[in-house]
Amino acid sequence: MPTYRKWFQPYVGPYDPCPPLGAVAYETPVQLYLGFQPAGMEQYSPVQALSYGTLWPGLYTPYTNPFNPVNKGADS
Amino acid sequence: MWYYEKKLQYPVRVSTCNPKLARFLIEQYGGADGELAAALRYLNQRYTIPDRVIGLLNDIGTEEFAHLEMIATMVYKLTKDATPIQLKEAGLGSHYVNHGKSLYYENAGGESFTVAYIQSKGDPIADLYEDIAAEEKARSTYQWIINVSDDPALNDSLGFLREREIVHSQRFREAVELIKEEQGQKKAY
């Protein structure tokens, strides 16, 4: 299973004017890894699908604000 | 032709009176990677793309108009009860002077929509790669709006729209595989 959020640590210079923000997150959602969708993947119920925005649990990659401390360190 | 269903694709709820968010959301209305640009781009490319992926561009282009309508609803809800002073404080003073309370196809910086945002190259691979890039850019725009928005109800609708960008990107990537025509053939080179 790939992870859908990655982090990198930008260089911290000795004369940076602002305190460093720390690691920077970027999203790597499922479509980067799935390839051509295989037949017969698991499906949500219609009501769930309408609420999640996709029929396929395998395509559901929700987003959370990485600047929220609660989400720090989350990598999936 | 189209049939119109008089309902939104996904409910739009706004929990706080915060016209500032309207200013950010307008990026997805009339910005370079917004829903209008997406709809016009895909529906226009339909004519010169290989037959087997015309339907995909038709469906996704149509859905982008449904997303445009959701963004319009959000912007309208956030601004309809704001006083001119509140609009001014939200950074929408010049918008109000020029357009009143009406919506306008512009980006978050107030620049008018231009069709030069989109390309139509007539090369199927070039066009589909632009479409994939457009979906990823729209996805990230939604992420940045969610990062600056503190309205959980609004973020729920934005999360839905972001997930649709992911599904669309997946389908465009599959379209590339389809027109490469080697999909599923066990060829050894």
Side-chain angles (χ1 to χ4, degrees):
Chain A
M1 268 292 274
T3 56
Y4 300 133
R5 173 171 291 165
K6 308 287 188 292
W7 297 84
F8 70 97
Q9 182 66 56
Y11 172 71
V12 178
Y15 307 114
D16 288 351
C18 306
L21 207 47
V24 173
Y26 59 98
E27 304 301 298
T28 52
V30 64
Q31 76 274 20
L32 304 179
Y33 305 101
L34 187 61
F36 204 98
Q37 182 175 336
M41 267 172 58
E42 189 194 343
Q43 294 184 3
Y44 285 127
S45 72
V47 170
Q48 281 177 312
L50 280 170
S51 136
Y52 291 142
T54 176
L55 181 58
W56 315 95
L59 275 177
Y60 183 54
T61 328
Y63 178 75
T64 51
N65 180 355
F67 292 95
N68 185 336
V70 174
N71 304 321
K72 279 271 181 194
D75 63 354
S76 58
Chain B
M1 71 175 279
W2 278 267
Y3 288 100
Y4 184 75
E5 273 199 61
K6 200 173 170 60
K7 57 176 103 154
L8 291 176
Q9 190 188 6
Y10 186 88
V12 166
R13 293 245 169 75
V14 179
S15 55
T16 53
C17 172
N18 186 358
K20 256 185 207 158
L21 286 174
R23 167 116 200 229
F24 302 141
L25 285 166
I26 209 76
E27 181 68 30
Q28 281 301 78
Y29 194 65
D33 310 312
E35 304 292 355
L36 178 69
L40 297 180
R41 178 189 291 114
Y42 305 150
L43 294 176
N44 184 252
Q45 288 175 357
R46 286 179 298 175
Y47 299 93
T48 47
I49 208 87
D51 291 8
R52 62 180 73 181
V53 296
I54 291 174
L56 180 73
L57 285 170
N58 193 49
D59 290 353
I60 297 183
T62 301
E63 187 182 338
E64 304 294 359
F65 278 126
H67 296 173
L68 189 71
E69 198 175 42
M70 285 177 61
I71 300 290
T73 306
M74 294 175 190
V75 172
Y76 175 68
K77 283 190 179 205
L78 284 162
T79 53
K80 77 184 174 78
D81 294 315
T83 64
I85 298 298
Q86 284 173 320
L87 289 175
K88 194 174 121 189
E89 283 164 358
L92 289 164
S94 43
H95 175 98
Y96 181 71
V97 167
N98 196 357
H99 308 290
K101 291 271 184 89
S102 71
L103 280 78
Y104 187 63
Y105 294 112
E106 61 190 343
N107 69 12
E111 290 169 42
S112 300
F113 179 83
T114 164
V115 81
Y117 286 152
I118 66 177
Q119 178 57 291
S120 180
K121 193 52 83 172
D123 178 276
I125 296 296
D127 281 348
L128 284 171
Y129 272 62
E130 175 179 331
D131 301 345
I132 293 168
E135 295 293 338
E136 304 297 353
K137 286 188 281 180
R139 170 182 60 76
S140 35
T141 305
Y142 280 123
Q143 292 169 192
W144 309 156
I145 298 174
I146 289 170
N147 288 356
V148 294
S149 156
D150 50 7
D151 187 326
L154 190 75
N155 284 358
D156 177 62
S157 305
L158 294 175
F160 172 90
L161 289 169
R162 178 184 171 277
E163 177 63 31
R164 297 308 299 156
E165 308 295 343
I166 287 175
V167 175
H168 291 171
S169 172
Q170 169 68 22
R171 298 301 173 236
F172 283 133
R173 287 161 195 266
E174 287 166 357
V176 171
E177 295 307 312
L178 278 174
I179 65 167
K180 277 157 71 180
E181 294 197 347
E182 311 295 337
Q183 171 69 28
Q185 298 175 25
K186 292 203 169 64
K187 275 188 183 171
Y189 294 98

